[in-house]
Amino acid sequence: MNTNISLLSSLSIYGWNDSYSNAFLPYQNQGYIPLRINREGRGLFWGTDGERQLILERSGTFQNMQDLGLQPSPVVGDWCAVQAYASDRGLIEAVLPRQSGFHKPVVHEAYGIEGASFVVVANVDDGAIVMAAVHDFNLRRIERFVSLLYADGIQPLLILTKIDLLSGPEDYRLRVLARFADLPVFLVDSISAHGIEALSSYLQRGTTLMLLGLSGAGKSTLLNCLSNSMVAKTGVVRAQDGRGRHTTTSRQLYVLPNGTILIDTPGLRAVGMNSSSGDVSESFSDIHALALQCKFSDCTHTGEPGCAVQQALLAGEIEQDRFLNFLELRGEASSFEEVLARRKQKDKALGKLLYHYRRGMKEYD
C-alpha cells in the first residue's frame, strides 16, 4: 500500500490510529488495503477508507479461518485487510484485532437463554443509552444497559429524549444521578434541538459512539438532529406507549459534522443479560464495594451471617429495588455463563466440520 498523507488523513476521519496501523503491517506488503466496515446486509459488507467505498465479501481463505475460530465474523465498526479486485469490489482477507466489541443482548425467559450472544458492533468507545423519557424511563433498564456496556469495556452515557413533552425534565436527571452518580446524562429533544448543543460538545472527534435503545426511543431522529440532515428514516410511534416499528433495520456508521463517528443500531424489543456475574457485580459499584467487606468471600448476600450488603440494605444505605435488580441480573448472568460454556464446545466442533467439508468439496472438484 502506498501510504500518503491524504490517505492517512481520510482514514483518521473513521478512527484509524497507531494500534490499527501496527496490526495492519503484516498485510501491507500483500497489496491489501485497510477499510472500516460502515454498513452490512444480506451477507455483504460496505467498507470505506474515507475516500472510496467498496462492496465486500469474505474470501474463501477468510471463510475457512472463520470456521476454525481463527477469525471473527465481520461486523460494522471492524477494520479489515481487503483485497480490492474492482473499482467498487473487494474481498475481506482479515479482521484487525478489535479494541472493543458489543455483544447483542440475548433474550431470557425465566433464566432460559434464547439465541446466542454475538459481537454485532466493533471498536466502540462510548455507548449512548437512548431512552424516551416520556414513555420508557426505567431505572432498572438503565442498570441492564450499563452492565452490558461495562462488560464489553464500553463507557456508557444516557440520553433522555422527547423532553419537551415533560413538565419537569430536570427531575429525571436527578433520579438517574441518585442511582448512577458517575453516569453522564443528557436531556434532549431532537425536534426542537433542545439540549443537542450540550451533547455535541461532549462528543469527541475521532471517537466512535454507538446508539443503543428500545424501538421507538428516538435514535434515528437523534441521529438526524446531530447530523443536521435527514440521513436516517424515522417512523411514527404509538401515542399510548411511545413504541413503533423498526425504522433502523441494520447497523450503519456515520461521521457527524463535529467529527464523532456514530453507529446507529436497530431498536431492541427486550434487554437480556449476556455478561458474566462478575461483570454485573462490578457494574453495581456500591454493592461490589460492600461485598468486599462480607465475612465470606463467596457470599451470595441472601442470608449468610456477616453479610455487609444485607446490613447496608437494612440500614437503608442501598435502595431495595436496586438490590433486587442486582440479584436478578446476577442470576441471569450466571445462567448465561453456563449456557455459553456448552455452546462454545458445540460451535468449535461445528466449525471444524464445516472446514473439513469445504476442504473435501474443493478436493472433489
Side-chain angles (χ1 to χ4, degrees):
M1 179 184 72
N2 294 322
T3 304
N4 53 54
I5 295 177
S6 175
L7 179 57
L8 287 176
S9 176
S10 62
L11 287 172
S12 66
I13 292 173
Y14 283 85
W16 186 260
N17 57 35
D18 290 342
S19 176
Y20 299 125
S21 184
N22 291 333
F24 185 72
L25 287 176
Y27 307 102
Q28 185 169 327
N29 294 331
Q30 299 181 52
Y32 299 156
I33 59 174
L35 297 180
R36 191 171 193 187
I37 296 178
N38 60 351
R39 186 158 61 98
E40 62 181 346
R42 298 183 179 182
L44 295 175
F45 305 88
W46 284 257
T48 183
D49 61 6
E51 294 185 346
R52 57 174 172 167
Q53 178 165 281
L54 272 61
I55 300 174
L56 308 175
E57 299 176 87
R58 301 174 179 89
S59 72
T61 300
F62 179 86
Q63 186 66 68
N64 286 335
M65 297 287 279
Q66 186 178 319
D67 289 342
L68 291 172
L70 301 176
Q71 282 284 350
S73 180
V75 297
V76 170
D78 268 325
W79 283 100
C80 300
V82 173
Q83 179 182 359
Y85 65 88
S87 61
D88 63 345
R89 295 273 177 170
L91 295 174
I92 297 173
E93 299 291 351
V95 171
L96 301 187
R98 293 166 174 163
Q99 296 185 357
S100 67
F102 178 72
H103 294 75
K104 182 179 179 180
V106 297
V107 177
H108 295 259
E109 195 66 42
Y111 291 2
I113 310 298
E114 296 182 6
S117 173
F118 300 111
V119 172
V120 291
V121 182
N123 301 316
V124 175
D125 299 298
D126 302 296
I129 305 163
V130 183
M131 181 174 285
V134 69
H135 287 296
D136 284 332
F137 183 79
N138 187 308
L139 291 172
R140 282 195 167 198
R141 191 177 299 127
I142 295 172
E143 283 176 333
R144 284 178 175 268
F145 279 125
V146 168
S147 293
L148 289 169
L149 291 168
Y150 272 140
D152 285 332
I154 299 169
Q155 289 299 310
L157 61 139
L158 176 65
I159 302 174
L160 295 177
T161 63
K162 307 180 184 180
I163 62 164
D164 282 9
L165 301 177
L166 303 174
S167 57
E170 282 297 329
D171 293 341
Y172 286 77
R173 187 202 303 272
L174 295 176
R175 289 172 64 185
V176 172
L177 293 178
R179 187 173 289 197
F180 311 92
D182 299 325
L183 182 66
V185 181
F186 298 91
L187 307 176
V188 305
D189 188 89
S190 302
I191 303 300
S192 66
H194 184 181
I196 290 295
E197 184 176 350
L199 175 59
S200 296
S201 298
Y202 175 84
L203 304 178
Q204 298 181 31
R205 174 181 295 274
T207 61
T208 300
L209 172 75
M210 173 182 62
L211 299 184
L212 186 67
L214 298 185
S215 176
K219 296 188 302 301
S220 296
T221 308
L222 175 64
L223 167 61
N224 290 337
C225 190
L226 288 168
S227 302
N228 297 322
S229 62
M230 293 293 292
V231 298
K233 292 192 300 182
T234 60
V236 178
V237 298
R238 296 189 296 265
Q240 63 269 31
D241 61 4
R243 299 296 173 84
R245 299 176 64 183
H246 292 293
T247 53
T248 302
T249 56
S250 62
R251 297 162 194 89
Q252 192 160 344
L253 184 150
Y254 305 86
V255 178
L256 300 181
N258 70 346
T260 300
I261 303 153
L262 185 146
I263 298 178
D264 193 17
T265 65
L268 300 171
R269 292 297 185 187
V271 187
M273 293 302 298
N274 51 292
S275 53
S276 70
S277 54
D279 290 328
V280 170
S281 295
E282 290 181 11
S283 68
F284 287 76
S285 57
D286 52 346
I287 296 177
H288 180 66
L290 287 167
L292 298 176
Q293 304 172 32
C294 290
K295 181 177 180 180
F296 302 107
S297 60
D298 58 349
C299 183
T300 65
H301 321 306
T302 56
E304 295 91 339
C307 175
V309 175
Q310 285 287 326
Q311 291 173 8
L313 183 65
L314 293 173
E317 298 172 6
I318 302 174
E319 290 182 42
Q320 183 174 346
D321 181 70
R322 178 169 169 78
F323 175 69
L324 292 176
N325 197 35
F326 163 75
L327 293 180
E328 182 177 347
L329 298 188
R330 189 183 64 178
E332 291 184 23
S334 295
S335 177
F336 175 75
E337 286 178 302
E338 295 174 5
V339 173
L340 185 62
R342 295 195 297 269
R343 184 173 290 146
K344 281 183 176 179
Q345 292 180 336
K346 292 181 180 178
D347 289 346
K348 186 176 182 180
L350 179 60
K352 287 184 177 180
L353 285 174
L354 288 171
Y355 170 75
H356 289 301
Y357 172 77
R358 285 197 177 91
R359 296 288 294 181
M361 290 296 292
K362 186 177 292 186
E363 291 175 4
Y364 179 79
D365 291 341

